[in-house]
Amino acid sequence: MAAPASAWRPDREVELVAGTPAGGGQDRPARALIKVLEAGPLAGVPIKLTNIPGKGGGHAWDTLRKRTGDAHVLAINSPTIITNRLLGVSDFDHAALTPLANLYTEYIAFVVRPDSPLRTGADFLARVGRDAGALTIAMATARGNINHMALGQVTRHAGGDVQALKLNVFDSARYAVADVIEGRAEVGAITAVSAVPELAAGTLRAFALSAPARMGGHFAGVPTWVEQGVHCVIGTWRGVIGAQGITAEQIAFWGEALATATQSEAWNAELARQYWANTYLGPGAIGAFLERERGTLGTALRDIGVVG
């Protein structure tokens, strides 16, 4: 991969900040992106990964906000940058920073232990429709996020009380997986790839996906909610965002670098391995996308009763 032709180029170490712990939903794309950037557009430039978990990714964006004008620091972006502000968790959203790209979308898997009486989506619908508070559900990384919205869509379809859902919320989907396996939660609503090690080992079983169509690999036999009669197609997008106040030349460099990296064979192999759907958008389109998402996510939050 050739280096971008922009007049500006990093002249010192680049820092990429992830708002989840190692192995979490923002950490995985950060590590994959660093590999392809170091092999191509940023060859010769060291890249450091910094994990700052907490507040649904908010601590990472708080850190980025303090680095105004510094194009040598980036962060992984996700929907909670919007929902944190709508929920009052943060006093800013993407508009206070510099969105650079959307990388992909990952969908939500509904998982249980192999011996769970919940065999199908219909079983889950019957339970939450009868008494939504009787099930403990593990999820990450924050109330009001995409996982919570997916649960809300399914619960409303079943006629259950969305606000009665009993949720165990973790900073990483890996912790939510452990919560289900150890029996503290009966169901997990997590990003699909987070369940793959346990699906492969037979210690978890998936009964539904929030994807628009069936996925392959370990999910080949798992029906979507749409197949099971529920309109629940929703996923968590992951992107890259920069500090406020960086220049047009710096934005152009990162736009070219990210476009080049995400067109590589290595990146697309990672998409397939991680069950990520390619929904790439560059600097020219990402702003409008995020503004649309602000409206969509605001409506979804009202639907699950967490904002007025």
Side-chain angles (χ1 to χ4, degrees):
M1 292 179 287
S6 170
W8 181 86
R9 180 176 170 81
D11 55 12
R12 62 179 189 273
E13 180 180 65
V14 169
E15 181 179 8
L16 181 57
V17 184
T20 58
Q26 292 186 24
D27 176 80
R28 290 192 302 272
R31 292 178 189 273
L33 189 60
I34 286 171
K35 285 183 181 179
V36 294
L37 285 171
E38 287 184 330
L42 263 69
V45 178
I47 307 176
K48 175 178 74 173
L49 173 60
T50 302
N51 295 85
I52 310 178
K55 208 164 76 172
H59 289 325
W61 302 314
D62 290 344
T63 298
L64 185 62
R65 197 182 187 196
K66 297 173 184 176
R67 304 280 288 273
T68 298
D70 187 353
H72 290 82
V73 59
L74 307 172
I76 298 296
N77 201 20
S78 72
T80 44
I81 199 169
I82 295 173
T83 57
N84 274 358
R85 184 176 187 184
L86 294 173
L87 291 166
V89 174
S90 176
D91 63 356
F92 69 94
D93 60 16
H94 62 278
L97 300 169
T98 304
L100 296 168
N102 192 59
L103 299 173
Y104 62 83
T105 300
E106 52 186 325
Y107 296 102
I108 310 304
F110 287 66
V111 298
V112 292
R113 292 180 300 280
D115 59 352
S116 171
L118 300 176
R119 307 301 303 178
T120 67
D123 296 334
F124 181 80
L125 291 169
R127 286 283 296 278
V128 295
R130 185 167 62 248
D131 185 358
L135 276 175
T136 300
I137 302 170
M139 54 167 272
T141 55
R143 288 178 180 270
N145 73 350
I146 297 297
N147 307 51
H148 194 180
M149 293 174 190
L151 281 165
Q153 290 179 5
V154 174
T155 302
R156 280 198 313 278
H157 178 93
D161 181 358
V162 176
Q163 296 186 52
L165 288 169
K166 185 177 179 182
L167 305 176
N168 290 349
V169 184
F170 299 92
D171 284 342
S172 169
R174 296 299 301 155
Y175 301 152
V177 165
D179 202 52
V180 176
I181 289 175
E182 293 166 11
R184 289 184 293 272
E186 189 169 349
V187 178
I190 57 174
T191 49
V193 71
S194 301
V196 167
E198 288 70 27
L199 292 175
T203 54
L204 278 185
R205 174 171 49 81
F207 63 83
L209 290 164
S210 72
R214 283 208 187 197
M215 296 162 58
H218 291 290
F219 295 98
V222 181
T224 66
W225 276 118
V226 172
E227 288 179 76
Q228 299 180 81
V230 182
H231 181 69
C232 177
V233 178
I234 189 169
T236 298
W237 40 263
R238 308 284 185 192
V240 178
I241 195 163
Q244 186 179 50
I246 63 176
T247 69
E249 283 189 344
Q250 292 166 336
I251 293 170
F253 172 86
W254 285 119
E256 289 183 63
L258 293 167
T260 300
T262 56
Q263 290 165 12
S264 69
E265 289 185 14
W267 177 257
N268 283 280
E270 190 70 11
L271 292 183
R273 189 177 74 84
Q274 298 274 12
Y275 300 92
W276 296 338
N278 187 342
T279 52
Y280 182 82
L281 296 170
I286 187 62
F289 167 77
L290 292 172
E291 289 303 309
R292 291 194 301 272
E293 280 293 286
R294 182 190 277 148
T296 299
L297 295 172
T299 298
L301 287 174
R302 288 190 291 274
D303 287 347
I304 60 177
V306 296
V307 296

